[in-house]
Amino acid sequence: MSTGVLLMLIKLTRQVLPQIHNLSKALLVTSASGRNNFQLKQRNLMMASAADFERIDGKAALAEKILADLQSQIEAIRKAAIQSAGLEEEKQLIKENEELRKEIESVKTALFLAEVGNGVRQVQLPTKAALSAFSTQKLNTSDSVKVTNQVKQESVPQSSQQATEKKIEDSGKKTKQKESNSGEPVNNKKAKKEKIENVEESKNAGDTSLKKKANADNDSGDGTVDVSRLDLRIGKIVSVEKHPDADSLYVEKVDVGEGHHRTVVSGLVKHVPINAMKDRIAVFMCNLKPAKMRGVLSEGMIMCASGAEKTEILVPPTDSVIGDRVTCEEYPGTPDVQLNPKKKIWETLKPDVRTNADRVATYKGAPLLIKGKGVIVAPTLANTQIS
């Protein structure tokens, strides 16, 4: 080790030693002071009386009680805050669920319309309301038949009954006259048979007159021509094939709730693929006079929105069932049994039967609907003629 380094260490040692000495003195003074304070406190505690200790214990117990009360209050406040926050969160969740439900319904409707527009076959499932209505209708069938028969019997005109009685009397007189002139008895069974035939003929004559009268009343009506004259019903296409003699026509078998299938000829080959026609639920006009189309008798018309470039089949509400009637609340009435072609009722009404801006089928702006189920719509065509 060099001499310079030793000199430097000696110099540093001289500088540090006084500081160490002063620090040692300070520690000794502090230690003595702390020892004196401790001894003083010990003496003071030894001099305290029993009453002072009791007073201190009482204050300590009071402080603990106050702390316990504060803790209880804090816990109650915390629970109330959690409950309040839960209610707000529940309200928010209910609101969000409702918005999601509406959004899902909107998406479902858009998907349904898109599928219909692209020719995807739709399968209608029966609803609870439809099943309930079907069971109720089945139970009440016998009662309705009885009521119908009773009404028919009561609706026979008095003149028809009188004519029947008169014919029976005349037949009886002729039989007696024949017996007196010939002197030979007439077979009773033959006489009874003739009476029965006369009665049946008179009844048939009465029914025919009633039908003619009903048709005449229906045709004449009160002179009002509006959409209530049309018999628009929900039907299902149970089978479809191309017309044997026309490339642009379909021949469909349609169930409209009458217990048998109608034949409907439609010019939709260029607009709707055949796989989108089978099992299709649609709106049909059922009181047009049957007419032959290229040799096939058509007993109705499928209702479509017809644009310049395409034609779309109208779409009924999703819970519609076969046989549901399409009505217009602003124009109530009973449809004709059969439209008179000479009066051109459909041709008169047709210009006012259109889709509106929301694609809803309307008559003079009033929506066409199935009561309690919803409106009739077109998949995409708005402000378009319906035919």
Side-chain angles (χ1 to χ4, degrees), residues 27-225:
L27 289 173
L28 290 173
V29 171
T30 302
S31 177
S33 175
R35 189 164 51 250
N36 292 334
N37 289 334
F38 176 75
Q39 292 175 354
L40 180 61
K41 288 181 180 180
Q42 189 175 13
R43 283 197 299 270
N44 290 335
L45 286 174
M46 293 176 64
M47 293 174 63
S49 62
D52 293 333
F53 281 111
E54 290 179 359
R55 181 168 54 82
I56 293 170
D57 288 339
K59 288 184 178 181
L62 180 61
E64 290 179 357
K65 183 178 179 182
I66 292 172
L67 287 174
D69 292 340
L70 288 173
Q71 289 179 350
S72 300
Q73 292 177 7
I74 291 170
E75 185 66 21
I77 293 170
R78 186 180 67 81
K79 289 181 178 180
I82 292 173
Q83 186 176 5
S84 177
L87 290 174
E88 291 298 327
E89 186 176 359
E90 183 179 359
K91 291 179 181 178
Q92 183 65 24
L93 288 174
I94 291 173
K95 184 178 179 181
E96 291 177 358
N97 287 340
E98 183 64 21
E99 291 176 353
L100 285 173
R101 186 186 66 80
K102 291 180 180 179
E103 185 177 353
I104 290 170
E105 290 296 327
S106 176
V107 172
K108 285 172 64 179
T109 303
L111 177 61
F112 174 76
L113 294 176
E115 288 181 342
V116 169
N118 290 319
V120 178
R121 184 184 300 176
Q122 302 295 313
V123 179
Q124 298 289 334
L125 298 177
T127 60
K128 291 183 180 179
L131 293 174
S132 177
F134 176 76
S135 60
T136 304
Q137 182 180 3
K138 189 175 180 181
L139 291 173
N140 295 334
T141 300
S142 58
D143 294 337
S144 62
V145 170
K146 290 179 181 177
V147 171
T148 304
N149 292 335
Q150 184 177 358
V151 170
K152 286 184 178 179
Q153 291 175 0
E154 292 177 354
S155 63
V156 175
Q158 188 68 21
S159 59
S160 298
Q161 294 179 357
Q162 291 175 355
T164 304
E165 293 174 357
K166 187 175 180 181
K167 285 187 177 183
I168 294 171
E169 290 177 1
D170 292 342
S171 64
K173 289 179 181 180
K174 288 180 180 178
T175 304
K176 288 181 180 179
Q177 187 177 1
K178 188 174 181 180
E179 288 179 357
S180 61
N181 291 336
S182 62
E184 296 178 358
V186 180
N187 193 324
N188 291 332
K189 292 183 179 179
K190 187 176 181 181
K192 289 181 180 179
K193 184 177 180 181
E194 290 177 354
K195 289 180 182 179
I196 292 170
E197 289 176 352
N198 290 331
V199 171
E200 289 179 350
E201 288 177 0
S202 63
K203 284 184 178 179
N204 292 332
D207 292 340
T208 304
S209 63
L210 281 175
K211 289 180 180 178
K212 289 181 178 178
K213 186 174 182 295
N215 289 332
D217 292 341
N218 204 339
D219 286 339
S220 61
D222 58 358
T224 302
V225 178

